[in-house]
Amino acid sequence: MKQRIISAAIGLVVLAVILMFFETWLLNMAISAIAVMALYEFAAATKISQNKVLAFISYMVAAVVPFIPREQEFDLLPVVILPYMFLLFCVLLFSHKTTRVEQAALTFMVSIGVPLALSTAVYLRDAYGLALGMFYVILALGSAWFSDSAAYFTGKAFGKHKLCPNISPNKTVEGAVGGVVVGTGLLLLTALLFQLAAPLWGMAVEVNYIFLLCIAPAATVVGMVGDLSASIVKRQFQIKDFGNIMPGHGGVLDRFDSVLFCAPFIGVAVKLLPVVTVL
């Protein structure tokens, strides 16, 4: 537990530094680095890394995606994706005896999906600006991490009924309920603190707590689906964690598996139900 808390504290310090430079290219660089590390862990876990050319190409693509401007995404993504598909098939042609089509397909899905999901932070910044964009990013991170921590401690204290024993034996129904309830409460508290702090950025905002109350529980559930999805991969490839860069938490992908689902969900949800109105 002590190790888990220390790792979380260090991670929060790093996050705080990145958020200090939210409006700069440091955010893009940080997301690019996280995407590449996550993909590296995934490639090692699934043995894709045994084909070094296939793995290297996927790392390069994952590194580039977070730098594609939001307003040019539809123009530039095909420029990246189509040559990438061509290269993947070239790799298959030259290494078909040792590399399967399923490996190339899985590589393509993850190397595009992971950086695109994480790049939601960049798109939120570019669409909503410093204060509001940062709030929505924190909302996305909180949806994943608040509910995950709440589910962990609630499950430890009250857990009796297994949620998905064949996928993640330690998760309980009681923990999941606690994650949704406490996670939602913490997101509402985060919104209240943002509303109170907004004048520091020279702006007055009004939070629509009804909209947030519609979004928050769903976001926490989406985060749990992300966590369970990662658990399926780990179970099928017979590993406990994707990495060990964060003692007590595992690897980068272990820490961001829920974020990969929550960030795009929040990005879409706040467009449909604007949580914050700038007065």
Side-chain angles (χ1 to χ4, degrees):
M1 178 60 71
K2 181 180 177 181
Q3 195 175 50
R4 186 181 178 93
I5 293 173
I6 292 173
S7 295
I10 294 172
L12 289 174
V13 170
V14 174
L15 175 63
V17 172
I18 293 171
L19 291 179
M20 286 174 61
F21 297 92
F22 189 71
E23 285 193 299
T24 71
W25 282 97
L26 181 62
L27 178 65
N28 303 66
M29 293 168 64
I31 291 173
S32 177
I34 291 170
V36 171
M37 287 189 288
L39 192 59
Y40 175 84
E41 292 174 348
F42 186 87
T46 57
K47 310 302 181 186
I48 290 172
S49 59
Q50 292 178 355
N51 188 319
K52 291 181 170 50
V53 176
L54 183 67
F56 178 77
I57 294 172
S58 68
Y59 302 154
M60 293 300 99
V61 171
V64 167
V65 169
F67 292 96
I68 297 177
R70 181 178 63 89
E71 62 275 7
Q72 295 178 275
E73 187 180 40
F74 288 108
D75 294 327
L76 293 182
L77 262 182
V79 176
V80 174
I81 290 175
L82 296 178
Y84 179 33
M85 291 175 62
F86 175 77
L87 285 174
L88 288 179
F89 278 104
C90 286
V91 171
L92 276 176
L93 285 172
F94 285 97
S95 60
H96 63 275
K97 291 183 179 180
T98 56
T99 304
R100 296 186 59 81
V101 173
E102 299 95 307
Q103 290 178 299
L106 188 59
T107 301
F108 178 80
M109 179 185 74
V110 176
S111 60
I112 295 296
V114 168
L116 267 183
L118 293 174
S119 294
T120 302
V122 176
Y123 304 151
L124 288 171
R125 177 198 65 188
D126 294 345
Y128 297 102
L130 173 61
L132 194 51
M134 188 183 298
F135 168 68
Y136 284 144
V137 169
I138 292 173
L139 205 64
L141 297 175
S143 299
W145 294 340
F146 289 161
S147 61
D148 181 61
S149 298
Y152 175 81
F153 288 110
T154 305
K156 283 283 187 182
F158 307 106
K160 293 181 179 179
H161 302 88
K162 298 296 184 181
L163 180 66
C164 298
N166 295 325
I167 298 175
S168 187
N170 294 327
K171 288 182 172 56
T172 63
V173 174
E174 292 82 2
V177 172
V180 173
V181 173
V182 178
T184 298
L186 290 174
L187 289 175
L188 291 171
L189 178 60
T190 300
L192 175 61
L193 294 175
F194 171 69
Q195 186 171 356
L196 295 174
L200 297 176
W201 283 283
M203 59 189 295
V205 301
E206 181 179 352
V207 176
N208 190 320
Y209 292 98
I210 301 298
F211 284 176
L212 183 55
L213 198 54
C214 292
I215 292 172
T220 61
V221 172
V222 166
M224 291 179 190
V225 172
D227 186 50
L228 289 171
S229 298
S231 295
I232 291 174
V233 176
K234 288 185 283 189
R235 181 159 290 274
Q236 290 193 356
F237 285 93
Q238 300 179 340
I239 58 172
K240 183 180 183 296
D241 294 314
F242 283 108
N244 56 11
I245 195 172
M246 295 182 69
H249 293 268
V252 170
L253 193 52
D254 294 291
R255 188 67 284 177
F256 282 88
D257 51 11
S258 298
V259 176
L260 296 176
F261 284 60
C262 286
F265 177 82
I266 290 294
V268 173
V270 296
K271 278 188 176 182
L272 299 176
L273 297 174
V275 172
V276 177
T277 301
V278 180
L279 303 177

